[in-house]
Amino acid sequence: MALFLSTFMNKLDKKGRVSVPASFRLVLSGQSFQGIVAFRSYKFPAIEGMGLDRMQRLSESVDQLDLFSETQEDLTTSIFADAQMLGFDGDGRIVLPQILLDHAKIAERVAFVGQGATFQIWNPEAFEAHQNEARKRVQEKQATLKLRGDHA
Amino acid sequence: MALFLSTFMNKLDKKGRVSVPASFRLVLSGQSFQGIVAFRSYKFPAIEGMGLDRMQRLSESVDQLDLFSETQEDLTTSIFADAQMLGFDGDGRIVLPQILLDHAKIAERVAFVGQGATFQIWNPEAFEAHQNEARKRVQEKQATLKLRGDHA
DNA sequence: CAGATTATCCCATTGAATCCCATAATTACC
DNA sequence: GGTAATTATGGGATTCAATGGGATAATCTG
């Protein structure tokens, strides 16, 4: 399996640790850095999470752009400067830094939300509301997913 | 790991030394020169930092521009002439020369800011303001980083 | 060349991050 | 439905990074 799927609820302990869901850890198990990279979403009160390999690919993409464009600067400052490398402890837990907790308004319970190639970390109540909104919008638009390479 | 990620706040001591974050040192640990190369940013009141290997690549890129063009002259003068090689002491610290401190208006506290393949050194307050601006612009533009070779 | 100043090396301290083990809860499997 | 294996959680012990300061070496200056 190589996709982050489903939603998992775990708890923050007093030291600020949370278990990363076992299935998410499995997705990352092939990577050299055993842990996740996390940064504040600039669209939602949530945390964006992924493996280091994806960050490296992002960096390579950025290197191709104009070396001195403003957009590139803004993106690296919003993403790389904000990103935290959070390594697993021996039991598959990470420590979420305060700045991320504040941004996502996470206190006790933590929702790990699969997004395919990446995942998000939410306050459970906030995520539920967000998900309801999303489902409503999809329904209204009758949005359809076009499958790549599918000519049906 | 080969990326400069996250932002770290360290302190200048009376002798003008700062610890380079351990994770940044790890990125540079494979290089022959154990230290960083630093020069004044010409866009921000900040210091640009990187490993010597990247400077060498930068040199090659500049070489591909028109020889003797005004742009090339300006770049080499702004970057290579200004660059300082700052070696680590036994504890992973460097001494920031006065001309760099002045340019970045750094007094006591120092922010090391990851930018992927490179990093920056800022006055913490100045950086916070700068990052907020960058995040706002990214949000407004709905800018996203496209992954190379990713057709999603 | 002597004295003064600056830079480099080395070690001590502290506080935070990490490791390690114990227990509880959940899931999978006979 | 009971047992084993995996996963989640809690807390003590240990390690390591950041920092401060003294000692030694190099440089400048008159």
Side-chain angles (χ1 to χ4, degrees), chain A residues 7-10 19-26 88 92 112-113 119:
Chain A
T7 296
F8 300 88
M9 303 288 194
N10 286 333
S19 288
V20 173
S23 71
F24 284 21
R25 269 149 40 202
L26 193 64
F88 298 139
F112 285 84
V113 180
F119 59 93

Side-chain angles (χ1 to χ4, degrees), chain B residues 33-98:
Chain B
F33 170 61
Q34 280 304 293
I36 72 169
V37 177
F39 55 91
R40 293 174 292 173
S41 164
Y42 48 81
K43 288 185 265 182
F44 312 114
I47 302 165
E48 301 282 345
M50 58 195 68
L52 187 58
D53 64 332
R54 176 129 187 132
M55 278 307 266
Q56 278 157 350
R57 280 187 51 207
L58 204 56
S59 165
E60 287 160 20
S61 305
V62 169
D63 277 349
Q64 315 213 336
L65 300 177
D66 293 315
L67 236 56
F68 309 119
S69 75
E70 198 182 353
T71 306
Q72 191 202 1
E73 275 286 333
D74 290 347
L75 277 174
T76 55
T77 302
S78 305
I79 296 177
F80 297 105
D82 205 55
Q84 318 240 3
M85 293 182 60
L86 310 176
F88 298 140
D89 71 10
D91 302 305
R93 289 177 288 197
I94 56 173
V95 179
L96 288 173
Q98 194 60 44

Side-chain angles (χ1 to χ4, degrees), chain A residues 11 13-15 17 19 25 93:
Chain A
K11 274 205 306 190
D13 68 17
K14 291 169 198 164
K15 293 183 178 177
R17 298 176 299 190
S19 288
R25 269 149 40 202
R93 289 176 290 193

Side-chain angles (χ1 to χ4, degrees), chain A:
Chain A
M1 192 215 330
L3 288 180
F4 299 104
L5 294 180
S6 188
T7 296
F8 300 88
M9 303 288 194
N10 286 333
K11 274 205 306 190
L12 264 193
D13 68 17
K14 291 169 198 164
K15 293 183 178 177
R17 298 176 299 190
V18 234
S19 288
V20 173
S23 71
F24 284 21
R25 269 149 40 202
L26 193 64
V27 176
L28 301 168
S29 58
Q31 305 202 7
S32 55
F33 170 61
Q34 279 305 293
I36 72 168
V37 177
F39 55 91
R40 294 175 291 169
S41 163
Y42 47 80
K43 293 187 217 161
F44 312 114
I47 302 166
E48 302 282 346
M50 59 193 69
L52 183 61
D53 64 331
R54 189 170 175 94
M55 283 303 271
Q56 273 162 343
R57 287 176 55 207
L58 279 178
S59 170
E60 284 161 21
S61 302
V62 165
D63 269 353
Q64 309 294 316
L65 301 178
D66 295 312
L67 224 56
F68 310 109
S69 81
E70 189 186 54
T71 302
Q72 187 207 328
E73 273 284 339
D74 288 345
L75 283 168
T76 57
T77 298
S78 299
I79 295 177
F80 295 113
D82 206 54
Q84 317 251 353
M85 294 185 56
L86 310 176
F88 298 139
D89 70 11
D91 305 303
R93 289 176 290 193
I94 56 172
V95 182
L96 287 174
Q98 195 59 45
I99 187 168
L100 295 184
L101 295 177
D102 289 347
H103 179 72
K105 300 200 171 30
I106 290 171
E108 174 121 3
R109 287 159 54 68
V110 182
F112 285 84
V113 180
Q115 297 277 319
T118 66
F119 59 93
Q120 295 173 344
I121 303 173
W122 283 79
N123 170 307
E125 287 81 38
F127 174 65
E128 199 189 340
H130 171 72
Q131 192 179 34
N132 288 338
E133 292 289 315
R135 291 177 68 86
K136 207 189 320 176
R137 274 195 300 271
V138 168
Q139 201 171 31
E140 282 165 3
K141 287 188 203 158
Q142 290 291 312
T144 53
L145 266 181
K146 292 212 180 73
L147 280 182
R148 260 204 322 146
D150 192 6
H151 305 285

Side-chain angles (χ1 to χ4, degrees), chain B residues 75-125:
Chain B
L75 277 174
T76 55
T77 302
S78 305
I79 296 177
F80 297 105
D82 205 55
Q84 318 240 3
M85 293 182 60
L86 310 176
F88 298 140
D89 71 10
D91 302 305
R93 289 177 288 197
I94 56 173
V95 179
L96 288 173
Q98 194 60 44
I99 187 169
L100 296 183
L101 294 177
D102 289 347
H103 183 253
K105 300 202 173 26
I106 290 171
E108 174 123 3
R109 285 158 53 69
V110 183
F112 286 84
V113 179
Q115 295 277 325
T118 65
F119 60 93
Q120 296 172 344
I121 303 174
W122 284 77
N123 170 306
E125 287 81 36

